[in-house]
Amino acid sequence: MPRMSGAQMIADFLVKAGVRHVAGIPGHGIWTVLDAFLDYPDLNVVQVLHEQSAAHLADGYYRASGNPIAAFASIGPGAANTTVGVATAHVDSQAMMLLTGSPHTYMRGHGVLQELDRSQWAHFPRVMEGITKQTWQPSRVEQLPFVMQRAWSAMTTGRPGPAHLDLPMDVQADDADVTVHGPDHFIGSGRSRPDAHDVQKAAKLLAGAKRPVIVAGGGVILADASHELVALAEHLGIPVVTTWMGKGAIPEGHDLNGWSVGDTASTSGNALAANADVVLSVG
């Protein structure tokens, strides 16, 4: 097992996970991780002008490509600047990894580099609790390979969303003899399948419906199932209405596109859904 610093473990995992871009603003609390990124030419560091932009960039990259990337920030207010972008990704179920600096484990409570310490030492993870799938604050460098695995799994499986690692400066710099595995080592690549009997029942309901409507959500895009959605709609002649996150699941100019449904949505989409006798909600 090679001896690696905590920062190198993070960079090594990201490369093995297929991450090619990391976005953020260098700061004292995260510089060790940035130094490690220099040792990995496959990682392209994008320096933004505001931490919020890094989170929005990571969110947008996943929406466009389906591949997560990482955003980074330093300690305290700089890290807190990411919250709007992280919250946007959370409510829209978009995967992203946020790496923030944290005071040394032995310096917590001393206000190092704008530490949030008035109610509890190194308290920034509490800020992120409601807008991430999970947040981690490792206290030893040996924990990082496991934490990276758990964070990636939480971020990309089930309903995707942001994962947050709050990294003490000494944990970034300390080293240990470890083996860093990529996600393929512990996350299965299969997809869940519906019950065949339930599919038959649904097919009979759709085939016998007089005013069926398909409601397509963002999961259709995440699952790369737009082709299958359009094929089903065309086969049965069913109009498709979309949520805001499902926009794009069917081509905008398609004859069966009934436009958006829901609050502040289209008149046609809401009329179709409200008057349907059978609704197939997918994604």
Side-chain angles (χ1 to χ4, degrees):
M1 295 184 292
R3 195 163 188 86
M4 307 172 71
S5 70
Q8 288 173 325
M9 295 175 197
I10 293 168
D12 194 67
F13 181 91
L14 291 176
V15 170
K16 289 177 179 176
V19 174
R20 293 296 174 262
H21 305 281
V22 288
I25 294 182
H28 294 78
I30 201 71
W31 267 348
T32 306
V33 173
L34 267 292
D35 286 344
F37 288 162
L38 292 175
D39 297 330
Y40 292 81
D42 288 337
L43 284 175
N44 174 42
V45 176
V46 180
Q47 184 171 338
V48 296
L49 298 180
H50 191 279
E51 291 89 351
Q52 182 177 333
S53 299
H56 285 311
L57 192 155
D59 175 13
Y61 189 92
Y62 183 75
R63 293 174 193 255
S65 70
N67 299 312
I69 63 173
F72 62 86
S74 189
I75 297 172
N81 279 338
T82 66
T83 53
V84 173
V86 173
T88 300
H90 181 64
V91 298
D92 286 349
S93 302
Q94 304 299 315
M96 63 172 289
M97 181 172 288
L98 177 65
L99 308 170
T100 59
S102 185
H104 316 75
T105 56
Y106 53 86
M107 288 295 291
R108 288 172 178 168
H110 290 267
V112 173
L113 300 174
Q114 299 180 301
E115 172 192 6
L116 302 182
D117 63 344
R118 306 297 166 82
S119 59
Q120 185 173 320
W121 295 350
H123 211 200
F124 181 67
R126 185 65 183 271
V127 175
M128 307 303 291
E129 279 184 7
I131 57 174
T132 58
K133 288 191 72 174
Q134 196 167 344
T135 181
W136 288 263
Q137 193 180 56
S139 57
R140 292 177 56 84
V141 67
E142 294 87 354
Q143 296 173 327
L144 279 175
F146 172 73
V147 167
M148 292 296 292
Q149 291 178 6
R150 291 297 298 271
W152 192 270
S153 179
M155 180 179 69
T156 58
T157 61
R159 185 171 184 168
H164 171 228
L165 275 67
D166 198 53
L167 302 165
M169 294 171 68
D170 55 325
V171 173
Q172 298 176 37
D174 287 347
D175 55 21
D177 294 319
V178 297
T179 299
V180 177
H181 296 290
D184 292 343
H185 186 76
F186 60 93
I187 297 181
S189 58
R191 290 189 175 185
S192 59
R193 294 179 178 274
D195 182 270
H197 296 293
D198 289 339
V199 172
Q200 286 184 335
K201 291 179 182 178
K204 289 180 181 179
L205 282 173
L206 286 173
K210 295 181 179 179
R211 300 180 307 280
V213 169
I214 297 174
V215 178
V220 174
I221 297 172
L222 288 174
D224 195 24
S226 297
H227 175 77
E228 289 81 358
L229 171 74
V230 173
L232 174 63
E234 291 176 343
H235 179 67
L236 296 176
I238 301 177
V240 178
V241 296
T242 63
T243 66
W244 287 117
M245 291 304 300
K247 184 176 174 65
I250 184 172
E252 298 291 292
H254 197 285
D255 290 342
L256 291 173
N257 185 359
W259 300 95
S260 55
V261 65
D263 188 27
T264 69
S266 69
T267 302
S268 60
N270 282 334
L272 285 167
N275 290 284
D277 59 344
V278 173
V279 174
L280 171 63
S281 298
V282 58

